[in-house]
Short mmCIF file of all heavy atoms in Angstrom, two decimals:
data_model
loop_
_atom_site.label_atom_id
_atom_site.label_comp_id
_atom_site.label_asym_id
_atom_site.label_seq_id
_atom_site.Cartn_x
_atom_site.Cartn_y
_atom_site.Cartn_z
N VAL X 23 -24.49 -2.13 129.99
CA VAL X 23 -25.26 -3.05 130.81
C VAL X 23 -25.67 -4.22 129.93
O VAL X 23 -26.43 -4.03 128.97
CB VAL X 23 -26.51 -2.38 131.40
CG1 VAL X 23 -27.31 -3.38 132.24
CG2 VAL X 23 -26.11 -1.19 132.25
N PRO X 24 -25.18 -5.44 130.18
CA PRO X 24 -25.49 -6.56 129.30
C PRO X 24 -26.98 -6.90 129.32
O PRO X 24 -27.69 -6.63 130.29
CB PRO X 24 -24.67 -7.71 129.89
CG PRO X 24 -23.64 -7.06 130.77
CD PRO X 24 -24.26 -5.80 131.27
N ALA X 25 -27.43 -7.51 128.23
CA ALA X 25 -28.80 -8.01 128.17
C ALA X 25 -28.94 -9.24 129.06
O ALA X 25 -27.94 -9.81 129.53
CB ALA X 25 -29.16 -8.34 126.73
N ALA X 26 -30.17 -9.67 129.32
CA ALA X 26 -30.42 -10.85 130.15
C ALA X 26 -29.75 -12.07 129.52
O ALA X 26 -29.72 -12.22 128.30
CB ALA X 26 -31.92 -11.08 130.29
N SER X 27 -29.22 -12.94 130.37
CA SER X 27 -28.47 -14.11 129.90
C SER X 27 -29.04 -15.38 130.52
O SER X 27 -29.48 -15.38 131.69
CB SER X 27 -26.99 -13.96 130.27
OG SER X 27 -26.27 -15.14 129.98
N ILE X 28 -28.99 -16.47 129.77
CA ILE X 28 -29.45 -17.78 130.28
C ILE X 28 -28.35 -18.52 131.01
O ILE X 28 -28.62 -19.50 131.70
CB ILE X 28 -29.97 -18.67 129.13
CG1 ILE X 28 -28.81 -19.03 128.19
CG2 ILE X 28 -31.10 -17.99 128.38
CD1 ILE X 28 -29.16 -20.12 127.20
N TRP X 29 -27.10 -18.05 130.88
CA TRP X 29 -25.98 -18.86 131.36
C TRP X 29 -25.93 -19.01 132.87
O TRP X 29 -25.51 -20.08 133.36
CB TRP X 29 -24.67 -18.29 130.83
CG TRP X 29 -24.61 -18.30 129.33
CD1 TRP X 29 -24.44 -17.23 128.51
CD2 TRP X 29 -24.78 -19.43 128.47
NE1 TRP X 29 -24.49 -17.61 127.19
CE2 TRP X 29 -24.69 -18.96 127.13
CE3 TRP X 29 -25.00 -20.79 128.69
CZ2 TRP X 29 -24.81 -19.80 126.05
CZ3 TRP X 29 -25.12 -21.63 127.60
CH2 TRP X 29 -25.02 -21.14 126.30
N PRO X 30 -26.33 -18.04 133.69
CA PRO X 30 -26.31 -18.29 135.14
C PRO X 30 -27.21 -19.45 135.56
O PRO X 30 -26.80 -20.29 136.38
CB PRO X 30 -26.81 -16.95 135.72
CG PRO X 30 -26.41 -15.93 134.71
CD PRO X 30 -26.60 -16.61 133.39
N ILE X 31 -28.42 -19.55 135.01
CA ILE X 31 -29.31 -20.66 135.39
C ILE X 31 -28.79 -21.97 134.84
O ILE X 31 -28.90 -23.02 135.48
CB ILE X 31 -30.76 -20.37 134.93
CG1 ILE X 31 -31.71 -21.44 135.49
CG2 ILE X 31 -30.85 -20.32 133.42
CD1 ILE X 31 -31.80 -21.47 136.98
N VAL X 32 -28.18 -21.94 133.65
CA VAL X 32 -27.58 -23.16 133.11
C VAL X 32 -26.44 -23.63 134.01
O VAL X 32 -26.31 -24.83 134.30
CB VAL X 32 -27.07 -22.91 131.67
CG1 VAL X 32 -26.29 -24.12 131.15
CG2 VAL X 32 -28.24 -22.62 130.73
N GLY X 33 -25.62 -22.69 134.48
CA GLY X 33 -24.53 -23.05 135.39
C GLY X 33 -25.05 -23.60 136.70
O GLY X 33 -24.47 -24.55 137.26
N ALA X 34 -26.15 -23.02 137.22
CA ALA X 34 -26.73 -23.52 138.47
C ALA X 34 -27.22 -24.95 138.32
O ALA X 34 -27.00 -25.81 139.20
CB ALA X 34 -27.86 -22.61 138.92
N VAL X 35 -27.89 -25.24 137.20
CA VAL X 35 -28.36 -26.61 136.95
C VAL X 35 -27.18 -27.57 136.83
O VAL X 35 -27.20 -28.69 137.35
CB VAL X 35 -29.24 -26.65 135.69
CG1 VAL X 35 -29.59 -28.09 135.31
CG2 VAL X 35 -30.52 -25.84 135.89
N ALA X 36 -26.12 -27.13 136.14
CA ALA X 36 -24.93 -27.98 135.97
C ALA X 36 -24.30 -28.30 137.32
O ALA X 36 -23.95 -29.47 137.59
CB ALA X 36 -23.93 -27.28 135.06
N LEU X 37 -24.15 -27.30 138.18
CA LEU X 37 -23.55 -27.55 139.50
C LEU X 37 -24.43 -28.46 140.35
O LEU X 37 -23.93 -29.29 141.12
CB LEU X 37 -23.30 -26.22 140.21
CG LEU X 37 -22.22 -25.33 139.58
CD1 LEU X 37 -22.14 -24.00 140.32
CD2 LEU X 37 -20.87 -26.02 139.60
N PHE X 38 -25.76 -28.31 140.22
CA PHE X 38 -26.67 -29.20 140.95
C PHE X 38 -26.48 -30.65 140.50
O PHE X 38 -26.41 -31.57 141.32
CB PHE X 38 -28.11 -28.76 140.73
CG PHE X 38 -29.13 -29.72 141.29
CD1 PHE X 38 -29.38 -29.78 142.65
CD2 PHE X 38 -29.83 -30.57 140.44
CE1 PHE X 38 -30.30 -30.67 143.17
CE2 PHE X 38 -30.75 -31.47 140.94
CZ PHE X 38 -31.00 -31.52 142.31
N LEU X 39 -26.39 -30.87 139.18
CA LEU X 39 -26.19 -32.22 138.67
C LEU X 39 -24.83 -32.79 139.11
O LEU X 39 -24.72 -33.98 139.42
CB LEU X 39 -26.29 -32.22 137.15
CG LEU X 39 -27.69 -31.95 136.56
CD1 LEU X 39 -27.61 -31.86 135.04
CD2 LEU X 39 -28.67 -33.04 136.98
N ILE X 40 -23.81 -31.94 139.12
CA ILE X 40 -22.49 -32.40 139.56
C ILE X 40 -22.53 -32.82 141.01
O ILE X 40 -22.01 -33.87 141.39
CB ILE X 40 -21.44 -31.30 139.33
CG1 ILE X 40 -21.18 -31.11 137.84
CG2 ILE X 40 -20.14 -31.62 140.06
CD1 ILE X 40 -20.28 -29.94 137.50
N ALA X 41 -23.14 -31.99 141.86
CA ALA X 41 -23.22 -32.32 143.29
C ALA X 41 -24.04 -33.59 143.50
O ALA X 41 -23.64 -34.49 144.27
CB ALA X 41 -23.84 -31.15 144.06
N MET X 42 -25.19 -33.70 142.84
CA MET X 42 -26.03 -34.88 143.00
C MET X 42 -25.34 -36.12 142.44
O MET X 42 -25.38 -37.20 143.04
CB MET X 42 -27.38 -34.67 142.32
CG MET X 42 -28.37 -35.79 142.56
SD MET X 42 -30.05 -35.38 141.99
CE MET X 42 -29.76 -35.27 140.22
N GLY X 43 -24.70 -35.96 141.28
CA GLY X 43 -24.01 -37.10 140.68
C GLY X 43 -22.83 -37.57 141.50
O GLY X 43 -22.61 -38.78 141.65
N ALA X 44 -22.07 -36.62 142.08
CA ALA X 44 -20.94 -37.00 142.93
C ALA X 44 -21.43 -37.73 144.17
O ALA X 44 -20.86 -38.75 144.58
CB ALA X 44 -20.13 -35.77 143.29
N GLY X 45 -22.48 -37.19 144.80
CA GLY X 45 -23.03 -37.86 145.99
C GLY X 45 -23.58 -39.22 145.67
O GLY X 45 -23.37 -40.19 146.44
N ALA X 46 -24.28 -39.35 144.54
CA ALA X 46 -24.84 -40.65 144.16
C ALA X 46 -23.74 -41.66 143.82
O ALA X 46 -23.87 -42.84 144.10
CB ALA X 46 -25.77 -40.46 142.97
N THR X 47 -22.64 -41.16 143.22
CA THR X 47 -21.53 -42.05 142.88
C THR X 47 -20.85 -42.60 144.12
O THR X 47 -20.60 -43.80 144.25
CB THR X 47 -20.50 -41.31 142.01
OG1 THR X 47 -21.14 -40.85 140.81
CG2 THR X 47 -19.35 -42.22 141.64
N VAL X 48 -20.57 -41.72 145.07
CA VAL X 48 -19.92 -42.15 146.31
C VAL X 48 -20.85 -43.03 147.14
O VAL X 48 -20.43 -44.04 147.72
CB VAL X 48 -19.46 -40.92 147.13
CG1 VAL X 48 -18.93 -41.35 148.50
CG2 VAL X 48 -18.40 -40.14 146.37
N GLY X 49 -22.14 -42.66 147.20
CA GLY X 49 -23.09 -43.41 148.02
C GLY X 49 -23.74 -44.57 147.34
O GLY X 49 -24.52 -45.31 147.97
N GLY X 50 -23.47 -44.79 146.04
CA GLY X 50 -24.08 -45.91 145.33
C GLY X 50 -25.58 -45.78 145.15
O GLY X 50 -26.31 -46.78 145.16
N LEU X 51 -26.08 -44.56 144.97
CA LEU X 51 -27.52 -44.33 144.85
C LEU X 51 -27.97 -44.37 143.39
O LEU X 51 -27.16 -44.44 142.46
CB LEU X 51 -27.86 -42.97 145.46
CG LEU X 51 -27.41 -42.75 146.91
CD1 LEU X 51 -27.74 -41.34 147.35
CD2 LEU X 51 -28.05 -43.77 147.85
N PHE X 52 -29.30 -44.32 143.21
CA PHE X 52 -29.93 -44.26 141.88
C PHE X 52 -29.50 -45.42 140.98
O PHE X 52 -29.27 -45.25 139.78
CB PHE X 52 -29.62 -42.94 141.18
CG PHE X 52 -30.04 -41.72 141.97
CD1 PHE X 52 -29.15 -40.69 142.18
CD2 PHE X 52 -31.31 -41.62 142.51
CE1 PHE X 52 -29.52 -39.57 142.90
CE2 PHE X 52 -31.69 -40.49 143.23
CZ PHE X 52 -30.80 -39.48 143.44
N ASN X 53 -29.38 -46.61 141.56
CA ASN X 53 -29.08 -47.83 140.79
C ASN X 53 -27.81 -47.70 139.94
O ASN X 53 -27.77 -48.15 138.79
CB ASN X 53 -30.27 -48.19 139.89
CG ASN X 53 -31.52 -48.52 140.68
OD1 ASN X 53 -31.45 -49.17 141.74
ND2 ASN X 53 -32.67 -48.08 140.20
N GLY X 54 -26.82 -47.07 140.50
CA GLY X 54 -25.54 -46.95 139.82
C GLY X 54 -25.50 -45.90 138.72
O GLY X 54 -24.55 -45.89 137.91
N GLN X 55 -26.47 -45.01 138.68
CA GLN X 55 -26.51 -43.97 137.64
C GLN X 55 -25.75 -42.71 138.04
O GLN X 55 -25.75 -41.73 137.29
CB GLN X 55 -27.97 -43.61 137.33
CG GLN X 55 -28.79 -44.78 136.81
CD GLN X 55 -28.20 -45.38 135.55
OE1 GLN X 55 -27.89 -44.66 134.61
NE2 GLN X 55 -28.06 -46.70 135.53
N GLY X 56 -25.13 -42.72 139.21
CA GLY X 56 -24.42 -41.54 139.68
C GLY X 56 -23.37 -41.01 138.72
O GLY X 56 -23.33 -39.80 138.45
N PRO X 57 -22.50 -41.88 138.15
CA PRO X 57 -21.49 -41.37 137.21
C PRO X 57 -22.10 -40.69 135.99
O PRO X 57 -21.54 -39.70 135.49
CB PRO X 57 -20.71 -42.64 136.83
CG PRO X 57 -20.89 -43.56 138.00
CD PRO X 57 -22.28 -43.29 138.49
N TRP X 58 -23.24 -41.20 135.52
CA TRP X 58 -23.87 -40.58 134.35
C TRP X 58 -24.42 -39.20 134.70
O TRP X 58 -24.32 -38.26 133.90
CB TRP X 58 -24.99 -41.48 133.81
CG TRP X 58 -24.48 -42.74 133.20
CD1 TRP X 58 -24.53 -43.99 133.74
CD2 TRP X 58 -23.81 -42.87 131.94
NE1 TRP X 58 -23.94 -44.91 132.91
CE2 TRP X 58 -23.49 -44.25 131.79
CE3 TRP X 58 -23.46 -41.98 130.93
CZ2 TRP X 58 -22.83 -44.72 130.66
CZ3 TRP X 58 -22.80 -42.46 129.81
CH2 TRP X 58 -22.50 -43.82 129.68
N ILE X 59 -25.00 -39.09 135.89
CA ILE X 59 -25.50 -37.79 136.33
C ILE X 59 -24.33 -36.81 136.49
O ILE X 59 -24.41 -35.65 136.08
CB ILE X 59 -26.27 -37.92 137.65
CG1 ILE X 59 -27.50 -38.83 137.47
CG2 ILE X 59 -26.71 -36.56 138.17
CD1 ILE X 59 -28.23 -39.13 138.77
N LEU X 60 -23.24 -37.30 137.06
CA LEU X 60 -22.05 -36.46 137.24
C LEU X 60 -21.50 -35.98 135.91
O LEU X 60 -21.20 -34.79 135.73
CB LEU X 60 -20.98 -37.24 138.01
CG LEU X 60 -19.63 -36.56 138.22
CD1 LEU X 60 -19.80 -35.28 139.03
CD2 LEU X 60 -18.66 -37.50 138.91
N MET X 61 -21.38 -36.89 134.94
CA MET X 61 -20.83 -36.51 133.65
C MET X 61 -21.77 -35.57 132.88
O MET X 61 -21.30 -34.68 132.16
CB MET X 61 -20.54 -37.77 132.82
CG MET X 61 -19.43 -38.63 133.38
SD MET X 61 -17.90 -37.70 133.70
CE MET X 61 -17.51 -37.12 132.06
N SER X 62 -23.08 -35.76 133.04
CA SER X 62 -24.01 -34.84 132.39
C SER X 62 -23.86 -33.44 132.97
O SER X 62 -23.94 -32.43 132.24
CB SER X 62 -25.44 -35.34 132.53
OG SER X 62 -25.85 -35.34 133.90
N GLY X 63 -23.65 -33.35 134.29
CA GLY X 63 -23.41 -32.06 134.91
C GLY X 63 -22.13 -31.41 134.41
O GLY X 63 -22.10 -30.20 134.13
N VAL X 64 -21.06 -32.21 134.29
CA VAL X 64 -19.80 -31.68 133.78
C VAL X 64 -19.96 -31.20 132.34
O VAL X 64 -19.47 -30.12 131.96
CB VAL X 64 -18.70 -32.75 133.88
CG1 VAL X 64 -17.42 -32.27 133.18
CG2 VAL X 64 -18.39 -33.07 135.34
N GLY X 65 -20.67 -31.99 131.52
CA GLY X 65 -20.90 -31.58 130.13
C GLY X 65 -21.70 -30.29 130.03
O GLY X 65 -21.37 -29.40 129.23
N LEU X 66 -22.74 -30.18 130.86
CA LEU X 66 -23.54 -28.96 130.85
C LEU X 66 -22.72 -27.77 131.34
O LEU X 66 -22.88 -26.64 130.83
CB LEU X 66 -24.78 -29.15 131.73
CG LEU X 66 -25.84 -28.04 131.66
CD1 LEU X 66 -26.36 -27.89 130.24
CD2 LEU X 66 -26.99 -28.35 132.62
N LEU X 67 -21.84 -28.00 132.30
CA LEU X 67 -20.99 -26.92 132.78
C LEU X 67 -20.04 -26.44 131.69
O LEU X 67 -19.81 -25.23 131.54
CB LEU X 67 -20.20 -27.39 134.01
CG LEU X 67 -19.30 -26.35 134.68
CD1 LEU X 67 -20.14 -25.25 135.31
CD2 LEU X 67 -18.42 -27.01 135.75
N LEU X 68 -19.50 -27.36 130.92
CA LEU X 68 -18.61 -26.98 129.82
C LEU X 68 -19.37 -26.17 128.76
O LEU X 68 -18.84 -25.20 128.21
CB LEU X 68 -17.99 -28.23 129.20
CG LEU X 68 -16.99 -28.99 130.06
CD1 LEU X 68 -16.52 -30.25 129.36
CD2 LEU X 68 -15.80 -28.12 130.43
N ILE X 69 -20.62 -26.57 128.48
CA ILE X 69 -21.44 -25.81 127.55
C ILE X 69 -21.66 -24.39 128.07
O ILE X 69 -21.58 -23.40 127.33
CB ILE X 69 -22.78 -26.53 127.31
CG1 ILE X 69 -22.55 -27.85 126.56
CG2 ILE X 69 -23.75 -25.63 126.54
CD1 ILE X 69 -23.79 -28.70 126.43
N MET X 70 -21.96 -24.29 129.37
CA MET X 70 -22.18 -22.97 129.97
C MET X 70 -20.92 -22.12 129.87
O MET X 70 -20.98 -20.93 129.50
CB MET X 70 -22.59 -23.14 131.43
CG MET X 70 -22.87 -21.83 132.17
SD MET X 70 -21.40 -21.04 132.89
CE MET X 70 -20.96 -22.22 134.17
N LEU X 71 -19.76 -22.71 130.18
CA LEU X 71 -18.51 -21.95 130.12
C LEU X 71 -18.23 -21.47 128.70
O LEU X 71 -17.83 -20.32 128.48
CB LEU X 71 -17.35 -22.81 130.63
CG LEU X 71 -17.33 -23.11 132.13
CD1 LEU X 71 -16.23 -24.11 132.46
CD2 LEU X 71 -17.14 -21.84 132.94
N PHE X 72 -18.44 -22.36 127.73
CA PHE X 72 -18.19 -21.99 126.33
C PHE X 72 -19.11 -20.85 125.91
O PHE X 72 -18.68 -19.86 125.31
CB PHE X 72 -18.41 -23.22 125.43
CG PHE X 72 -18.21 -22.92 123.97
CD1 PHE X 72 -16.94 -22.97 123.42
CD2 PHE X 72 -19.28 -22.61 123.15
CE1 PHE X 72 -16.75 -22.69 122.06
CE2 PHE X 72 -19.11 -22.33 121.81
CZ PHE X 72 -17.83 -22.38 121.27
N GLY X 73 -20.40 -20.98 126.24
CA GLY X 73 -21.35 -19.95 125.83
C GLY X 73 -21.12 -18.62 126.52
O GLY X 73 -21.17 -17.55 125.88
N TRP X 74 -20.84 -18.68 127.82
CA TRP X 74 -20.65 -17.43 128.56
C TRP X 74 -19.34 -16.75 128.14
O TRP X 74 -19.29 -15.53 127.95
CB TRP X 74 -20.65 -17.71 130.06
CG TRP X 74 -21.14 -16.55 130.88
CD1 TRP X 74 -21.18 -15.24 130.53
CD2 TRP X 74 -21.68 -16.62 132.21
NE1 TRP X 74 -21.70 -14.48 131.54
CE2 TRP X 74 -22.01 -15.30 132.59
CE3 TRP X 74 -21.90 -17.66 133.10
CZ2 TRP X 74 -22.55 -15.00 133.84
CZ3 TRP X 74 -22.45 -17.37 134.35
CH2 TRP X 74 -22.78 -16.04 134.71
#
Side-chain angles (χ1 to χ4, degrees):
V23 179
S27 173
I28 66 168
W29 300 122
I31 187 63
V32 173
V35 173
L37 292 176
F38 172 76
L39 291 175
I40 290 174
M42 186 170 65
T47 301
V48 173
L51 305 177
F52 303 129
N53 297 321
Q55 299 302 311
W58 292 105
I59 299 174
L60 176 61
M61 293 308 299
S62 65
V64 172
L66 189 59
L67 183 67
L68 291 176
I69 293 173
M70 181 274 293
L71 290 173
F72 179 85
W74 209 339

